[in-house]
Amino acid sequence: MNQEFRCDCPVTSAIDILGDKWVLIIIKQMLIERMETFKDFTDSDEAISTSILTLKLKCLESYGLVERKNHPTNKKTKLYHLTEKGLSLAPVVVDLAIWSDQNLREFNPIMRQTDELEFMKSNREGAINALKKNYKEKLAKTQYTKS
């Protein structure tokens, strides 16, 4: 599933993987909204199609950003979790949220204004650390097996 990279530039290489319309949304959904099943993603407000979701989850898995596991009580249901590599994108997600709030609100006046966003803006490092910590704690409580 790994793709060819278009050049040797680190930024371009990252964009080759993360610059897709859906990839960072899926990572944000996992990190912030705690989505972990295929149904969670397809039922979300972003309305990703099942074929695109399947492709993007496989891509994220192939690059080691996401792991697919069996649900502890229902082997037919797969759980998708961020790996350490995927979790290391927390600063990118936080920075995009802050940037968007500061630069796109005038173009998207219905953009949510949440306590979480205010915390990100006032304490970026604290927000990043809290997201990672909360994600890991939630993951530790879930018993699953690799699929």
Side-chain angles (χ1 to χ4, degrees):
M1 179 121 237
N2 290 356
Q3 69 183 39
E4 293 287 323
F5 291 94
R6 68 182 100 188
C7 68
D8 62 354
C9 173
V11 173
T12 302
S13 296
I15 290 171
D16 284 340
I17 306 306
L18 304 174
D20 169 271
K21 177 179 177 177
W22 292 108
V23 170
L24 284 174
I25 291 172
I26 292 168
I27 291 169
K28 179 263 314 181
Q29 289 174 325
M30 295 174 85
L31 180 65
I32 295 175
E33 299 166 19
R34 302 296 190 259
M35 293 184 186
E36 60 183 359
T37 67
F38 201 85
K39 185 167 177 22
D40 290 340
F41 295 111
T42 58
D43 288 351
S44 75
D45 290 343
E46 278 89 357
I48 187 170
S49 75
T50 57
S51 59
I52 298 289
L53 179 59
T54 298
L55 184 67
K56 297 309 169 187
L57 286 170
K58 284 182 180 178
C59 177
L60 290 168
E61 205 175 347
S62 75
Y63 285 105
L65 300 172
V66 168
E67 275 186 320
R68 183 179 59 172
K69 308 278 186 171
N70 288 322
H71 190 280
T73 60
N74 180 352
K75 299 301 180 205
K76 290 181 181 179
T77 300
K78 302 300 180 201
L79 301 175
Y80 297 90
H81 296 131
L82 294 170
T83 62
E84 282 296 323
K85 191 186 293 189
L87 201 51
S88 72
L89 288 165
V92 174
V93 173
V94 168
D95 286 343
L96 279 172
I98 294 168
W99 181 87
S100 181
D101 181 68
Q102 293 172 344
N103 295 283
L104 299 179
R105 189 165 292 284
E106 68 182 288
F107 303 105
N108 185 6
I110 64 166
M111 192 182 301
R112 285 186 301 240
Q113 186 72 33
T114 64
D115 290 341
E116 189 172 37
L117 178 60
E118 288 305 312
F119 181 53
M120 289 176 186
K121 291 173 5 184
S122 67
N123 185 353
R124 177 186 175 275
E125 288 302 315
I128 291 167
N129 291 333
L131 280 172
K132 288 179 175 181
K133 180 180 180 258
N134 293 340
Y135 189 85
K136 288 179 181 180
E137 286 175 356
K138 185 230 175 221
L139 199 57
K141 292 178 184 174
T142 307
Q143 298 297 316
Y144 53 82
T145 57
K146 206 165 188 172
S147 64

